[in-house]
Amino acid sequence: MQRISLSPGYEISRVIRGGWQLSASHSQAVSGDPVGDMIAFADAGITTFDCADIYTGVEEMIGAFRRRYRDLRGAEALAKIRVHTKFVPDLDVLARIDKAYVEKVIDTSLKRLGMERLDIVQFHWWSYAVPRWLETACWLEELRRAGKILRVGGTNFDTERLLAMRQAGVPMSSMQVQYSLLDRRPEKTLIPAALANGVAIFCYGTVAGGFLGERWLGRPEPKPPMENRSLVKYKLIIDEFGGWDLFQELLAVLDKVARRKGADIATVASAAMLARPGVSAVIVGARNRAHLEANLRIAALRLSEEDLQAVDSVLARSRMLDGDVYALERDTSGRHGAIMKYNLNSEGKATAPRETAPQD
């Protein structure tokens, strides 16, 4: 497993295990021993885990894993485990948010995870029309200075806001964004700004909810209703990308590369993003340890210049999605925003389907 140092003393695996599939709304997909699965991932080198305050039950699950891992492998091994969580206040809360609310949520995450200090808190804000995002970021920075947070990062902020927070004195050491061969919005301005300012980029959605896989190769264009909101979400991305026929061309090229490498389409699609400038890590969803071998291969796969040129030949005929990162999803009147759920903490205590939350 490749590893990367984000700062002196802070190292992560370049493949991060995502936690959304372990949330209560996806409990049917969880194996009988999720803590044992996490131990298997950690032992294999995937030592970084992604979660959120809105992923019901996942912070507690990772807390249980940390305790068990310490008992089995010792304190030195536990010190290599990194947990990246999120702070996602509901849309309805934004206008009245205060520092006490922020600190209460952070304290809850600390308790659930069994940590004295959170490794990274990734801050998400639903609507720029509510201007308290900068003030809230500064409160997180105050909590960092107080020792409750090691690193403050963001989720789905655009370039302008990222730079504004840094200028205000909030380090914003990382940014987690949707970034895939189908959705290359971060390349417009965010990636250059991140490279210039030492901000780590974590990618999610690299397999587009499963669309970038053999299951869809040579298949006719799916019609509504879709199986889940995740497919609805990424089918909209495919439409913006250039439509089903161009998407099939991309799948065919990825399949050809995968066959040459003895891999699969999803692995090639994620490895291609890991090779992009500025990308520190990719976040992969894994229901259980059955996916471990495939996840390990992402970092091990080396794509040649010929492989990348073949992919780029298709991308050159695609359409770049409008706006900066997450702009389409923030527009509640648009078709991308219409499928989002903006109040996950209050709507059934975050048990709404995870496909409509800020990270997938």
Side-chain angles (χ1 to χ4, degrees):
M1 173 52 55
Q2 292 182 31
R3 304 185 67 77
I4 186 169
S5 178
L6 303 185
S7 64
Y10 195 89
E11 186 178 84
I12 66 170
S13 53
R14 294 199 70 200
V15 174
I16 298 173
R17 185 182 178 188
W20 72 269
Q21 289 190 351
L22 301 178
S23 63
S25 57
H26 294 275
S27 60
Q28 73 279 3
V30 179
S31 74
D33 186 15
V35 169
D37 292 337
M38 292 182 196
I39 291 172
F41 273 76
D43 285 347
I46 297 179
T47 55
T48 310
F49 297 81
D50 180 82
C51 59
D53 57 339
I54 58 172
Y55 299 1
T56 306
V58 177
E59 287 184 326
E60 293 93 334
M61 202 178 297
I62 293 177
F65 152 69
R66 293 182 73 257
R67 291 190 297 273
R68 188 167 162 192
Y69 200 68
R70 178 196 58 209
D71 293 342
L72 291 173
R73 305 290 185 259
E76 186 175 345
L78 179 63
K80 296 179 181 178
I81 302 298
R82 296 297 184 184
V83 180
H84 299 173
T85 194
K86 300 182 190 70
F87 170 62
V88 187
D90 285 353
L91 179 62
D92 290 346
V93 170
L94 304 187
R96 62 180 188 275
I97 198 168
D98 57 20
K99 184 180 177 181
Y101 175 90
V102 177
E103 187 164 15
K104 180 180 179 181
V105 175
I106 296 304
D107 285 344
T108 298
S109 291
L110 284 167
K111 182 178 179 180
R112 289 170 175 171
L113 290 164
M115 302 176 75
E116 295 181 358
R117 182 175 61 179
L118 298 175
D119 289 331
I120 296 183
V121 172
Q122 301 170 109
F123 171 38
H124 177 86
W125 192 261
W126 285 113
S127 174
Y128 298 144
V130 185
R132 305 191 73 181
W133 53 270
L134 185 56
E135 191 174 8
T136 303
C138 290
W139 288 328
L140 287 169
E141 172 60 11
E142 289 177 15
L143 293 173
R144 186 190 70 82
R145 293 177 181 175
K148 293 190 175 186
I149 301 169
L150 179 60
R151 300 167 67 89
V152 176
T155 300
N156 296 322
F157 275 99
D158 62 18
T159 311
E160 177 185 346
R161 274 78 183 184
L162 167 64
L163 296 177
M165 287 184 282
R166 287 182 61 85
Q167 187 174 6
V170 183
M172 298 302 288
S173 60
S174 62
M175 187 62 65
Q176 183 180 134
V177 291
Q178 182 172 294
Y179 188 20
S180 71
L181 295 174
L182 298 173
D183 181 2
R184 304 186 311 285
R185 285 176 287 179
E187 295 176 4
K188 294 180 181 179
T189 57
L190 183 69
I191 296 294
L195 286 168
N197 289 277
V199 177
I201 296 294
F202 306 144
C203 303
Y204 70 86
T206 58
V207 298
F211 269 118
L212 289 171
E214 281 77 10
R215 175 189 174 189
W216 295 99
L217 179 62
R219 292 281 300 277
E221 184 172 4
K223 304 298 181 184
M226 299 288 190
E227 293 176 24
N228 54 57
R229 288 189 183 92
S230 184
L231 291 180
V232 175
K233 169 184 173 179
Y234 287 108
K235 177 56 169 61
L236 291 175
I237 298 295
I238 290 170
D239 294 343
E240 302 275 2
F241 170 80
W244 194 254
D245 289 344
L246 187 61
F247 170 65
Q248 285 296 316
E249 289 187 46
L250 177 61
L251 280 185
V253 168
L254 292 174
D255 181 59
K256 188 175 295 185
V257 172
R259 289 175 183 274
R260 284 202 300 266
K261 302 293 185 181
D264 58 26
I265 290 174
T267 299
V268 172
S270 293
M273 301 316 299
L274 199 59
R276 295 268 168 169
V279 173
S280 294
V282 296
I283 302 167
V284 296
R287 294 173 182 169
N288 51 53
R289 73 190 79 180
H291 301 269
L292 176 56
E293 183 177 352
N295 292 164
L296 290 171
R297 296 197 67 184
I298 294 170
L301 188 64
R302 296 292 184 271
L303 299 177
S304 68
E305 191 63 31
E306 178 187 359
D307 297 330
L308 296 173
Q309 287 178 358
V311 173
D312 286 343
S313 68
V314 179
L315 300 186
R317 291 180 283 118
S318 68
R319 179 179 179 274
M320 182 75 78
L321 274 66
D322 291 336
D324 207 325
V325 297
Y326 219 68
L328 295 171
E329 292 83 353
R330 290 182 195 280
D331 181 6
T332 57
S333 64
R335 58 178 189 161
H336 293 267
I339 64 171
M340 305 299 293
K341 286 189 177 293
Y342 300 92
N343 296 292
L344 286 169
N345 281 302
S346 59
E347 292 180 16
K349 296 297 183 182
T351 56
R354 181 62 193 88
E355 296 86 359
T356 56
Q359 181 259 308
D360 194 313

